[in-house]
Amino acid sequence: MSDNQSWNSSGSEEDVEPRDESGHLIGIVDLSGVLSKWTNYIHGWQDRWVVLKNNTLSYYKSQDETEYGCRGSLCLSKAVITPHEFDECRLDITVNDSVWYLRAADPEHRRQWIDSVELHRSIKEGRREKGGIQGTIFISPPLVRLLADSGYGSESSLRRHGSMLSLTSATSGFSATSTSSFKKGHSLKEKLAEMETFRDILCRQVDTLQKYFDGCSDAVSKDELQRDKIVEDDEDDFPNTRTDGEFLHNNNGSKEKLFQALSPKGIDFKGEAITFKATTAGILATLSHCIDLMVKREDSWQKRLDKEMEKRRRIEEGYKSALNELKIKSHFGGPDYEEGPNSLINEDEFFDAVEAALDRQDKIEEQSHTEKTRMQRSSPVPPGDVYSTIGTHRFANKVEEMVQNHMTYSLQDVGGDANWQLVVEEGEMKVYRREVEENGIVLDPLKATHSVKGVTGHEVCHYFWDTAYRNDWETTIENFNVVENLSENAAIVYQTHKRVWPASQRDVLYLSAMRKIMANNENDPDTWLVCNFSVDHDDAQPSNKCVRAKINIGIICQTLVSPPEGDKEISRDNIMCKITYVANVNPGGWAPASVLRAVAKREYPKFLKRFTSYVQEKTAGKPILF
């Protein structure tokens, strides 16, 4: 075994992880399947094929693309698995600054993945700790030989009993001189070297004295046995002694002869005692000198220590600050920072993000506006009597109910006890709002009045209702389609709106009907009306990708004509359309009330001006459609 290899407490090499013929770790079950992975705030959750194998989590775009290589992987050795506190299907896996947001099909599926990941981690961790890492000190062969050379035992015994050797006891047998931090101060270094020399001498003297004491003990024991035997034979032949060892009488020899018999061979006890005393005195003197030197240098050391501690504090603060910024950058935009019941983003940040996204959409719309105006679309206009009939489709009664409600309530004055608040006034346009909340959801009814010159009520309602022109003036729609045509003046439409992050994407399914309400007398103008209200349909069920909004919207238009001068024909200069727009919208979801109200105050006036300007552009120079 080479010197750079490690020994464990038993003296054997670390066990190799057992694997089967295919290379998989024995005892670990691989797992693979489809999980939803959070990609980014544009695409949101996407299904991915995830594989757990050999303590590594990898993902592919689909199961069919596994042979082309994974799109990302995480080593689970240092991974932190966090089941989401509120979402029962979600789990977050964090490795350093990398975070994977995953969602399972159901809570049981999530539990299966969490258990499997934890099993991989625990088995891997257990094998890494096998051999007694906790409570065991690994001793390299060079250290073993050095300890053996210093008299701590043989190499085999040290390896065999390595777990009983603490770091403190192991290092106590060596001088700190070679690795001393006292790089400066030559005198202190010399004194420490002297102390090391004294220590070596003292260790040898202690061994010598121990041998002497052992020899004396053995000699005294033998002497007592011999004295007892002699006293039995002839009490006067053996010298009398006191308890303190003083000789009283010796007829057959001298006390020096007895002392020589008691002393171990080759040991000068008196000389060893003198040397021992001198050695300990030298150690004490040198230690006193070292203390004096260290006291003198204590102030400079303290200043250096304070400086280093302050430097370390600044570095730690900088590290923590950088780490927090990195975490914010890596997590912001994740699912915890989008619209939801437990969103981590506050209302101010939510509104700032929404407003920034709306500004970007406005710029994009301005750039594409020129191209839209060049496109000439035409749609045949059905005869006016088509819009006067109630219809025979299955929603005909509901449409008639909505029409009557709009004619009864929408045209009422905003004064009185209705609590309408004027929020925007720009020229002829006025926007009113009533604050209404239900179960924490903003349901503020909105009402706007506007007067537009040069267009008729029929023309305004025609461009508002006909889906052929929808993309020309509606900038918030991502896509839409007609689910079912109920009649010539009624259809069911499904549309999804562009997502404005961090708000969730919305979709809406509604019935759109256009009606003409004849005046009760010839002096009153006819009324044109379009009503859009939410319905259900089997071909457009709600999905988990969008929040389904509920709407009840009506636009009511009346044409006012001023008499032309003389015998001139009526021109667009003589007509004006009075528009009343009402909207009751339940956005669903969890967007903050203050944000919804601020967005409504900003977007509704822009919508009315944009739409009415579009109608004026489309009808300019064309015959008037009464």
Side-chain angles (χ1 to χ4, degrees):
M1 179 179 292
S2 60
D3 288 349
N4 59 356
Q5 289 178 298
S6 298
W7 289 81
N8 58 21
S9 60
S10 62
S12 62
E13 296 184 33
E14 186 176 359
D15 294 338
V16 179
E17 293 177 342
R19 298 176 180 267
D20 57 18
E21 295 179 355
S22 61
H24 296 176
L25 294 174
I26 297 176
I28 302 182
V29 179
D30 297 338
L31 183 63
S32 60
V34 176
L35 292 175
S36 294
K37 183 179 182 295
W38 176 262
T39 54
N40 52 54
Y41 72 87
I42 297 177
H43 300 291
W45 296 98
Q46 298 291 330
D47 289 343
R48 294 290 182 259
W49 182 258
V50 182
V51 176
L52 176 60
K53 181 178 180 180
N54 290 344
N55 202 40
T56 301
L57 193 67
S58 309
Y59 80 92
Y60 307 81
K61 186 175 182 180
S62 64
Q63 186 177 5
D64 298 333
E65 296 188 7
T66 53
E67 60 183 7
Y68 301 118
C70 68
R71 294 199 167 196
S73 62
L74 288 176
C75 179
L76 300 177
S77 298
K78 297 183 178 180
V80 178
I81 298 91
T82 308
H84 198 267
E85 184 178 1
F86 304 103
D87 190 343
E88 295 183 350
C89 298
R90 178 177 149 191
L91 65 150
D92 301 344
I93 300 180
T94 305
V95 178
N96 295 330
D97 297 325
S98 179
V99 183
W100 283 14
Y101 305 103
L102 304 173
R103 291 189 84 253
D106 50 61
E108 183 62 29
H109 195 197
R110 182 186 76 167
R111 172 50 52 192
Q112 181 183 3
W113 275 96
I114 292 176
D115 292 344
S116 298
V117 171
E118 293 290 358
L119 180 61
H120 272 250
R121 293 180 67 254
S122 62
I123 294 180
K124 185 76 174 180
E125 192 71 22
R127 286 174 178 164
R128 186 163 57 248
E129 293 183 357
K130 185 177 181 181
I133 291 179
Q134 295 182 349
T136 301
I137 299 170
F138 290 87
I139 308 172
S140 63
L143 182 57
V144 171
R145 287 194 292 272
L146 188 55
L147 289 171
D149 294 340
S150 302
Y152 283 96
S154 64
E155 293 187 26
S156 60
S157 64
L158 285 171
R159 289 172 182 167
R160 186 166 58 252
H161 303 291
S163 61
M164 306 205 39
L165 183 63
S166 69
L167 290 175
T168 304
S169 63
T171 57
S172 65
F174 301 96
S175 170
T177 306
S178 60
T179 58
S180 174
S181 61
F182 307 122
K183 300 296 181 182
K184 298 180 181 179
H186 187 65
S187 59
L188 181 60
K189 187 175 182 180
E190 288 180 347
K191 291 300 178 183
L192 292 174
E194 290 178 11
M195 290 183 65
E196 183 177 5
T197 303
F198 282 132
R199 186 211 62 177
D200 295 338
I201 296 173
L202 190 61
C203 289
R204 289 195 295 269
Q205 290 175 345
V206 169
D207 291 338
T208 301
L209 292 174
Q210 185 64 48
K211 291 179 181 178
Y212 171 76
F213 293 139
D214 292 342
C216 289
S217 177
D218 293 340
V220 169
S221 298
K222 293 179 180 178
D223 178 65
E224 289 179 351
L225 293 175
Q226 185 178 4
R227 183 184 61 184
D228 293 341
K229 184 177 180 181
I230 294 174
V231 168
E232 290 177 359
D233 296 339
D234 187 358
E235 185 176 354
D236 295 334
D237 292 340
F238 195 81
N240 295 321
T241 62
R242 298 179 180 175
T243 56
D244 56 0
E246 181 183 354
F247 285 85
L248 299 177
H249 180 68
N250 186 4
N251 296 327
N252 299 324
S254 65
K255 60 180 179 181
E256 287 81 4
K257 189 174 182 179
L258 177 62
F259 183 79
Q260 185 178 2
L262 295 174
S263 300
K265 186 178 181 180
I267 296 178
D268 182 6
F269 176 73
K270 186 174 182 180
E272 289 293 341
I274 295 173
T275 306
F276 182 80
K277 182 178 180 180
T279 303
T280 53
I283 290 177
L284 293 174
T286 306
L287 182 60
S288 177
H289 193 180
C290 290
I291 292 173
D292 292 339
L293 291 174
M294 286 188 287
V295 168
K296 291 179 181 179
R297 300 181 61 182
E298 182 180 7
D299 293 339
S300 61
W301 285 348
Q302 186 64 44
K303 291 179 181 179
R304 290 173 58 186
L305 177 62
D306 294 340
K307 185 177 179 180
E308 291 298 324
M309 291 182 66
E310 178 63 22
K311 183 179 179 180
R312 177 177 178 177
R313 185 187 64 80
R314 290 197 300 267
I315 293 175
E316 288 179 347
E317 289 179 354
Y319 171 76
K320 291 179 181 178
S321 177
L323 186 62
N324 290 334
E325 291 180 4
L326 186 62
K327 287 182 177 180
I328 291 174
K329 290 180 180 179
S330 63
H331 292 90
F332 196 79
D336 288 326
Y337 288 86
E338 65 172 357
E339 177 188 349
N342 307 294
S343 176
L344 300 181
I345 189 170
N346 59 44
E347 291 192 13
D348 292 337
E349 293 172 337
F350 196 104
F351 176 73
D352 291 342
V354 169
E355 189 174 39
L358 291 175
D359 289 339
R360 288 193 297 269
Q361 289 187 6
D362 289 344
K363 290 182 180 180
I364 296 173
E365 182 59 29
E366 289 176 4
Q367 295 173 358
S368 62
H369 178 69
T370 305
E371 297 180 1
K372 287 184 177 180
T373 55
R374 294 197 192 106
M375 300 175 64
Q376 297 295 327
R377 291 190 179 89
S378 61
S379 178
V381 180
D385 55 355
V386 171
Y387 300 106
S388 302
T389 59
I390 297 177
T392 58
H393 54 83
R394 64 183 183 279
F395 291 100
N397 293 333
K398 185 65 175 178
V399 171
E400 185 63 20
E401 179 185 348
M402 289 295 179
V403 169
Q404 294 303 321
N405 286 338
H406 283 302
M407 292 300 297
T408 302
Y409 301 107
S410 299
L411 294 178
Q412 288 181 350
D413 188 62
V414 294
D417 298 331
N419 294 324
W420 289 100
Q421 300 175 3
L422 179 64
V423 292
V424 176
E425 183 175 7
E426 297 181 12
E428 295 292 332
M429 181 178 62
K430 296 181 180 180
V431 180
Y432 302 86
R433 182 183 66 202
R434 287 192 296 115
E435 293 190 359
V436 177
E437 290 190 28
E438 183 177 325
N439 297 326
I441 299 177
V442 175
L443 303 176
D444 294 355
L446 183 137
K447 184 174 185 178
T449 60
H450 196 20
S451 297
V452 183
K453 294 182 178 181
V455 296
T456 66
H458 188 177
E459 291 169 335
V460 171
C461 288
H462 171 68
Y463 285 104
F464 185 81
W465 178 80
D466 197 333
T467 56
Y469 307 100
R470 185 65 53 82
N471 280 329
D472 291 347
W473 57 266
E474 180 58 276
T475 61
T476 65
I477 292 179
E478 184 173 86
N479 57 67
F480 74 94
N481 64 285
V482 178
V483 178
E484 181 181 355
N485 283 306
L486 300 174
S487 65
E488 290 184 340
N489 66 340
I492 296 178
V493 180
Y494 171 77
Q495 64 188 33
T496 57
H497 292 264
K498 296 175 182 177
R499 185 181 182 189
V500 182
W501 188 88
S504 300
Q505 189 173 23
R506 259 72 177 177
D507 65 356
V508 60
L509 178 68
Y510 62 93
L511 188 153
S512 182
M514 180 173 171
R515 291 287 303 277
K516 178 183 179 181
I517 309 299
M518 303 299 295
N520 293 328
N521 59 71
E522 59 183 11
N523 294 326
D524 294 334
D526 294 336
T527 301
W528 289 85
L529 180 147
V530 176
C531 62
N532 298 338
F533 58 92
S534 293
V535 294
D536 296 325
H537 199 282
D538 293 338
D539 294 338
Q541 296 291 335
S543 67
N544 57 3
K545 294 184 178 180
C546 295
V547 175
R548 179 63 58 88
K550 301 293 184 180
I551 65 171
N552 183 7
I553 295 173
I555 184 168
I556 306 164
C557 303
Q558 293 177 324
T559 305
L560 305 179
V561 182
S562 60
E565 296 180 358
D567 296 334
K568 293 181 179 181
E569 294 184 356
I570 297 176
S571 67
R572 293 194 175 274
D573 294 334
N574 303 117
I575 61 177
M576 183 175 65
C577 180
K578 182 181 178 182
I579 301 174
T580 300
Y581 179 84
V582 292
N584 290 272
V585 179
N586 181 350
W590 299 271
S594 61
V595 176
L596 292 175
R597 291 188 172 110
V599 171
K601 182 178 178 180
R602 163 187 163 141
E603 293 300 311
Y604 274 112
K606 289 171 57 178
F607 151 72
L608 278 176
K609 289 191 293 184
R610 182 174 63 248
F611 172 66
T612 53
S613 298
Y614 170 79
V615 176
Q616 287 177 320
E617 292 176 4
K618 294 293 291 184
T619 57
K622 293 183 179 180
I624 301 174
L625 183 64
F626 286 100

